C-alpha cells in the first residue's frame, strides 16, 4: 500500500513523500531541505529511490546536494529547462509519462508555466503535485511568467479529474481563505472551509491535500468566470472586465498588494 506524508520544512513548505512501508521505499517531491526528509526516512526505515522537482526555486531544490550524497543513485526527475545548477538527472517534458521506480507508480507530467517558466506538475489517478502553481484557495505569484500563462496553466489543472488530491508545496491556506472571502464573501462553502481551516491551524495540523472539486468551489483564482466575482473585482479595481482571463490578471495583482 502506498502512503503519503507531508513533511514540514523551512518556513512553511511541505515536502510530500510517497512511500510503501512493505518494501521500505520512498520518493519525495521538492526537497527544499534534506534534514527533515532524512529524519522521516530514518524514522520509517525507508530507502529514498528518487525525487520529483516541480521548479527550480531553492525552497524546492535546496536539499538535493545532501540527498544525492546520501543516495548516490538517486533519480532526480524535473523540468528540462531548469538552470543547470539544479542537479536534475532525468529531465522530462510536457505530457511525458514517468514511472516511480520501486513504488510501481506511473505519473504524467504537465507543463504549467507562470510562477516560473520551467514549472511542471505530476499527476496520476490519485495525486496532483502542483508545486507553487495552485494553492488551496490561492495560486502562485508570477515571478517569471505572465498572467495569461498562469491562467492557462490553472485551467489545465482545473480540467483534471476532480477527485485528485491536490498536494501544494506551502501551508498558505488560512491567509488565502481570508483573501478569498474578501472577494467572494457570500460563498457558503468558502465560509465553512474557513471554520475548518482555522480549527486545523489552531491545532497545528496540515490543511492539505485539498481536492480539485473543493478548489473549484472555493478558490477565486479558479472562479474568474463567475459573474459575481467579476463584479467584485471590477468594483475594487475600477476596471471594466471583459474576460475571465482579465479578471484573473487583476485578481492576481490585488493579491500581490493585499
Ligand atoms: Zn516557487
Amino acid at each position: 500500500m502506498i502512503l503519503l506524508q507531508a513533511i514540514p520544512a523551512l518556513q512553511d513548505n511541505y515536502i510530500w513523500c510517497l512511500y510503501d512501508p512493505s518494501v521500505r521505499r520512498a520518493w519525495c517531491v521538492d526537497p527544499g531541505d534534506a534534514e527533515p526528509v532524512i529524519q522521516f526516512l530514518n524514522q520509517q526505515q525507508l530507502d529514498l529511490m528518487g525525487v520529483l522537482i516541480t521548479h527550480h526555486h531553492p525552497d524546492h531544490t535546496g536539499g538535493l546536494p545532501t540527498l544525492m550524497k546520501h543516495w548516490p543513485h538517486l533519480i532526480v526527475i524535473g523540468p528540462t529547462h531548469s538552470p543547470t545548477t539544479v542537479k536534475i538527472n532525468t529531465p522530462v517534458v510536457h505530457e511525458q509519462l514517468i514511472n516511480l521506480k520501486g513504488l510501481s507508480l506511473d505519473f504524467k507530467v504537465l507543463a504549467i508555466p507562470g510562477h516560473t517558466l520551467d514549472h511542471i506538475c505530476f499527476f496520476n489517478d490519485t495525486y496532483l503535485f502542483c508545486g507553487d502553481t495552485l494553492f488551496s484557495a490561492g495560486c502562485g505569484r508570477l515571478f517569471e511568467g505572465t498572467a495569461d500563462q498562469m491562467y492557462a496553466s490553472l485551467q489545465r489543472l482545473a480540467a483534471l479529474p476532480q477527485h485528485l488530491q491536490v498536494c501544494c508545496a506551502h501551508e498558505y491556506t488560512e491567509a488565502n481563505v481570508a483573501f478569498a472571502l474578501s472577494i467572494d464573501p457570500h460563498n457558503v462553502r468558502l465560509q465553512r472551509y474557513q471554520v475548518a481551516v482555522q480549527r486545523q491551524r489552531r491545532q497545528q495540523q496540515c490543511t492539505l491535500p485539498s481536492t480539485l472539486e473543493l478548489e473549484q468551489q472555493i478558490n477565486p483564482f479558479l472562479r474568474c468566470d463567475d459573474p459575481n466575482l467579476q463584479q467584485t473585482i471590477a468594483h475594487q479595481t475600477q476596471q471594466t472586465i471583459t474576460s475571465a482571463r482579465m479578471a484573473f490578471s487583476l485578481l492576481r495583482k490585488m493579491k500581490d498588494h493585499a
Side-chain angles (χ1 to χ4, degrees):
M1 188 178 54
I2 303 290
L3 301 176
L4 176 72
Q5 175 72 36
I7 304 170
L10 307 171
Q11 188 92 348
D12 46 29
N13 283 72
Y14 288 126
I15 300 168
W16 293 95
C17 182
L18 283 170
Y19 63 106
D20 183 343
S22 66
V23 296
R24 302 201 177 285
R25 285 171 177 162
W27 278 69
C28 73
V29 185
D30 287 352
D33 190 5
E35 216 40 59
V37 176
I38 292 170
Q39 204 177 356
F40 175 76
L41 296 175
N42 284 345
Q43 254 167 28
Q44 304 288 326
Q45 298 178 300
L46 298 166
D47 191 18
L48 188 63
M49 305 297 293
V51 168
L52 302 178
I53 300 291
T54 63
H55 66 294
H56 67 84
H57 282 162
D59 61 322
H60 297 250
T61 57
L64 274 179
T66 304
L67 292 177
M68 291 170 97
K69 231 176 263 164
H70 269 70
W71 288 277
H73 303 292
L74 198 70
I75 304 165
V76 184
I77 297 178
T80 299
H81 303 296
S82 293
T84 50
T85 46
V86 181
K87 298 296 174 203
I88 290 161
N89 55 31
T90 311
V92 291
V93 294
H94 183 54
E95 295 200 316
Q96 190 167 336
L97 293 171
I98 57 165
N99 179 264
L100 306 197
K101 195 179 153 199
L103 295 183
S104 304
L105 281 179
D106 293 320
F107 275 80
K108 191 169 180 177
V109 176
L110 292 180
I112 47 168
H115 175 71
T116 62
L117 291 176
D118 67 344
H119 208 305
I120 58 175
C121 69
F122 304 89
F123 76 98
N124 67 358
D125 51 14
T126 308
Y127 305 110
L128 166 63
F129 297 107
C130 53
D132 284 355
T133 296
L134 178 62
F135 295 118
S136 186
C139 78
R141 280 176 186 267
L142 301 174
F143 284 116
E144 295 176 6
T146 64
D148 278 3
Q149 278 177 318
M150 189 64 155
Y151 182 72
S153 294
L154 289 171
Q155 294 295 108
R156 190 169 265 171
L157 295 181
L160 295 174
Q162 298 300 293
H163 68 273
L164 289 190
Q165 295 188 33
V166 181
C167 302
C168 320
H170 288 273
E171 180 60 68
Y172 288 159
T173 312
E174 193 171 9
N176 284 345
V177 166
F179 174 76
L181 274 169
S182 74
I183 307 298
D184 197 8
H186 306 298
N187 183 333
V188 175
R189 191 147 183 208
L190 180 58
Q191 294 166 357
R192 287 208 310 259
Y193 187 52
Q194 183 178 45
V195 174
V197 164
Q198 286 177 338
R199 188 187 308 125
Q200 283 175 314
R201 292 311 295 154
R202 268 199 305 275
Q203 297 166 4
Q204 291 168 3
Q205 289 170 6
C206 175
T207 62
L208 303 166
S210 182
T211 64
L212 281 177
E213 189 272 332
L214 175 64
E215 293 307 314
Q216 301 266 19
Q217 301 295 320
I218 58 104
N219 191 325
F221 294 96
L222 298 183
R223 291 164 47 72
C224 288
D225 56 346
D226 183 292
N228 291 324
L229 244 73
Q230 289 191 3
Q231 208 174 15
T232 307
I233 295 165
H235 179 74
Q236 292 196 17
T237 58
Q238 301 290 308
Q239 302 264 352
T240 307
I241 291 177
T242 53
S243 66
R245 185 189 304 248
M246 181 183 176
F248 171 80
S249 174
L250 291 170
L251 185 61
R252 186 56 260 178
K253 282 192 195 119
M254 286 168 71
K255 179 70 165 59
D256 287 343
H257 302 117

